Amino acid sequence: MNSLARKLATFDLVAGVATFLGVFLLWPLAASLRDAVVDRNGPTTAYFGAVLASPVYLEGFVHALAIGVASTTLALLGGLSLALAFDRWTFPGKRLMTALVPMPLVVPPFVGAIGIKQLLGQAGALNALLVRLHLLAAAHPIDWLRTSRFWAVVVLITFHLYPIAFLSLSASLQSLNPELDEAAENLGCSLPRRLLRITLPLVAPSLIASGTLIFLSASTELGVPLMCDYTRVTSVQILSGLSTANTDPAVYVLVTAVIAFALVAFAVSRVLLIFLPPRTLTRRTLHRPSRPLAGWRGAMCAASVTSVVLVTTIPNAGVVLVSLSGDWYRTVLPAGLTTVHFQHALGNAMVLPSIANSLRYVSLATAIDLLLGLTIAHLVTRAKVPGIGVLDALAMLPLVLPGLVMAFGYLAMSRPGQPLSLLGRAGDPTGLIVVAYATRRLPFVVRAATTGLSSMDVSLEEAARNLGATALGTWRRVTIPLVAAHLFAGAVLAFSLSMLDVSDSLVLAQRPGTFPITKAIYELSSLLGEGPWLAAALGVWAMVFLAASIAVARAVAQGSSGRAFH
């Protein structure tokens, strides 16, 4: 292939990727923004005025902000504390606790709410325990969720998201040069002072980055407020406005406000990163083993870490217990255990179709991610195209855009009369859901593929080309086999996270025959009778699936490929 043909091929790839991102990433945002600021007579700000004048909507904004701030603060405190303990010390049970920390990530937080309801409801386990301890009268149970609904939402979200802070900060701590801390210790600096003056400034970029992601996820979380009946929050108000979106533009104003909210939060984080002091002499060059703690110090550290980790897995344990409970009413633990709910869940008319739907949606979305992700990674690492960094940044944009906003944008651009109305024709949301899943999880595959191509010796491709191999043949016989582990790890993460997606699934799938797994769990949880137990059983199946997927991804993404996810 001559130089001109190669440039034309590169241009075609850039144009194709830019078109996809423009249509399925930027257009949904523009569609939502347009309906918030344009009426039949042209541009207007009246809709914003009406929303700002509504105490209900203002209360929703305040609650969303409060949930974001509280959840982020608690998640960062918990993640940082555990990361420091695991990095500095060796204590009894450390290996087991390390494996348990990511457990809250393997179940959507709204599924964990099923277990929390059973534990904190009027007839739940906590009241039964207090009655048994003679601290509460059986005739006057406390509805903990109703009296502390805000904090129930905050705690559930925190339990789910704190592993993000832990994983990010652990990777950052492992990269620090231990000589800085040791020098300060030799000069008599106390541990708290070393943490405040040395460690925290050096891990500040990871602290800000993970905090931003947690804040955006927490403030726009949809499933947990729904499950806890906490309706005065912006995300639930947006979902409630779907039925009146064609006649009431207030919902578009809410979506626009969430977009602005997310962009401002991201911009603030970038400004903070710019003004951080430079990270000099921070790269770890020597291995510093964790200090063993024995005696009462080791016991205290192990007890503290174990308490935090086990408490954060309570939602997971609650879901498992509900799914296995034969009778659990006003008792601390289930009175009997059974597996019948798992059998009934798989026999429910809603469940098996939802599993088949999810597999179809996610398989197609993952295939798109692999094709696009590898193409973008190739352009970033191999092609010398001016402005290619903009394309890479666009591919990462879904990480900071709330899923609820994107889902609503897809609905807006596929309404009757819109150019992409075919994606939602006849009430079949397959096209919309596949595109939504693919766009939301694209960053994982792009980063994995980029890491693989960056760590690969380009001379291998050049040698193949010099021996007469075509560009396609070089990719098929040389490049793809060498980056296959990275691609597989990224694809597994994209696949598993899409299988348990909440926002896109709840918003885009409105007919029972089109429900994915998460929408089926939500619908089952609201049914009378056996519904919550079936939802818990399906949630356990989902937990096992995601845990296995992550284990496979971690097993494949060892060594150099593990850098793709730091």
Side-chain angles (χ1 to χ4, degrees):
M1 184 183 293
N2 58 39
S3 178
L4 178 59
R6 188 177 295 111
K7 289 181 179 180
L8 290 176
T10 300
F11 175 80
D12 290 339
L13 289 176
V14 172
V17 172
T19 299
F20 180 90
L21 295 177
V23 171
F24 297 117
L25 179 59
L26 299 181
W27 189 358
L29 300 179
S32 299
L33 294 173
R34 180 199 60 211
D35 289 328
V37 297
V38 175
D39 62 10
R40 66 184 61 184
N41 298 318
T44 180
T45 59
Y47 301 149
F48 279 92
V51 168
L52 292 176
S54 169
V56 174
Y57 291 138
L58 290 179
E59 185 181 22
F61 287 132
V62 172
H63 288 168
L65 178 62
I67 290 172
V69 171
S71 300
T72 303
T73 302
L74 294 176
L76 289 179
L77 287 175
L80 178 61
S81 300
L82 288 180
L84 288 170
F86 282 117
D87 183 67
R88 288 179 173 270
W89 301 304
T90 298
F91 47 86
K94 178 178 178 179
R95 184 183 298 272
L96 176 60
M97 291 302 106
T98 303
L100 290 178
V101 168
M103 280 298 294
L105 290 175
V106 303
V107 59
F110 87 94
V111 177
I114 298 173
I116 292 297
K117 280 186 172 182
Q118 183 61 47
L119 297 175
L120 301 182
Q122 284 186 307
L126 179 58
N127 281 338
L129 177 62
L130 294 176
V131 170
R132 178 170 296 185
L133 296 175
H134 304 290
L135 298 175
L136 181 69
H140 302 286
I142 301 174
D143 190 342
W144 299 96
L145 288 178
R146 181 175 295 277
T147 57
S148 304
R149 196 165 289 169
F150 170 81
W151 287 109
V153 172
V154 168
V155 168
L156 278 168
I157 294 175
T158 299
F159 285 178
H160 178 67
L161 295 178
Y162 94 94
I164 295 176
F166 169 81
L167 295 172
S168 176
L169 291 168
S170 294
S172 184
L173 288 170
Q174 291 170 11
S175 71
L176 298 184
N177 190 335
E179 295 172 348
L180 299 175
D181 188 76
E182 292 169 355
E185 184 178 11
N186 292 334
L187 292 173
C189 187
S190 63
L191 177 59
R193 187 174 177 83
R194 296 201 309 272
L195 292 177
L196 185 62
R197 300 294 299 273
I198 297 176
T199 305
L200 284 181
L202 293 177
V203 300
S206 293
L207 201 66
I208 293 172
S210 59
T212 301
L213 289 177
I214 292 170
F215 177 78
L216 292 176
S217 299
S219 59
T220 59
E221 169 64 31
L222 175 61
V224 173
L226 276 176
M227 293 295 289
C228 294
D229 298 324
Y230 194 69
T231 57
R232 292 292 183 92
V233 65
T234 302
S235 57
V236 178
Q237 290 172 340
I238 291 176
L239 182 65
S240 302
L242 287 178
S243 58
T244 59
N246 292 331
T247 57
D248 184 7
V251 67
Y252 293 103
V253 176
L254 295 179
V255 172
T256 302
V258 171
I259 295 174
F261 194 64
L263 294 179
V264 168
F266 181 68
V268 169
S269 71
R270 299 302 298 176
V271 171
L272 291 176
L273 289 173
I274 291 174
F275 285 100
L276 285 177
R279 285 166 54 99
T280 58
L281 301 176
T282 61
R283 183 59 53 188
R284 175 172 289 185
T285 57
L286 299 173
H287 176 68
R288 181 186 65 181
S290 301
R291 296 180 180 179
L293 291 179
W296 67 270
R297 289 186 177 86
M300 288 290 293
C301 184
S304 300
V305 170
T306 302
S307 299
V308 173
V309 173
L310 292 184
V311 165
T312 58
T313 58
I314 285 178
N316 302 60
V319 173
V320 173
L321 287 175
V322 171
S323 68
L324 293 172
S325 62
D327 182 22
W328 196 1
Y329 184 76
R330 296 186 183 275
T331 58
V332 178
L333 293 174
L337 299 179
T338 179
T339 60
V340 69
H341 302 310
F342 292 92
Q343 301 170 20
H344 290 177
L346 293 179
N348 186 277
M350 188 186 300
V351 171
L352 288 181
S354 72
I355 295 174
N357 289 337
S358 285
L359 289 174
R360 184 175 74 255
Y361 299 151
V362 175
S363 297
L364 292 172
T366 304
I368 294 173
D369 280 339
L370 282 172
L371 179 62
L372 280 177
L374 191 56
T375 302
I376 294 172
H378 166 73
L379 293 173
V380 170
T381 59
R382 300 289 192 268
K384 296 180 180 179
V385 180
I388 197 64
V390 175
L391 198 65
D392 188 32
L394 276 179
M396 295 297 104
L397 187 59
L399 287 177
V400 298
L401 288 176
L404 180 64
V405 168
M406 296 300 299
F408 198 87
Y410 291 127
L411 284 182
M413 74 179 195
S414 62
R415 289 179 304 174
Q418 296 293 325
L420 295 182
S421 58
L422 290 177
L423 287 177
R425 68 184 188 281
D428 181 5
T430 298
L432 289 176
I433 294 178
V434 168
V435 167
Y437 286 175
T439 305
R440 294 281 312 285
R441 312 306 171 192
L442 179 61
F444 297 99
V445 181
V446 170
R447 287 277 69 82
T450 301
T451 301
L453 291 176
S454 298
S455 61
M456 174 186 165
D457 191 347
V458 182
S459 63
L460 297 174
E461 293 177 330
E462 295 173 348
R465 298 295 298 276
N466 291 335
L467 291 174
T470 62
L472 183 59
T474 300
W475 271 87
R476 183 172 62 86
R477 300 292 297 275
V478 178
T479 307
I480 292 181
L482 290 175
V483 299
H486 298 78
L487 293 176
F488 182 77
V492 168
L493 284 177
F495 184 93
S496 56
L497 292 174
S498 295
M499 283 290 286
L500 296 183
D501 178 89
V502 176
S503 298
D504 295 319
S505 301
L506 294 185
V507 172
L508 299 178
Q510 298 297 322
R511 293 194 304 110
T514 65
F515 287 172
I517 288 177
T518 46
K519 185 64 177 279
I521 293 174
Y522 174 72
E523 293 294 331
L524 286 173
S525 68
S526 61
L527 295 178
L528 297 177
E530 200 181 17
W533 281 262
L534 299 182
L538 187 55
V540 171
W541 285 119
M543 288 168 55
V544 172
F545 170 81
L546 185 54
S549 299
I550 292 176
V552 170
R554 291 183 63 181
V556 174
Q558 289 178 350
S560 62
S561 62
R563 294 194 299 267
F565 309 106
H566 278 181

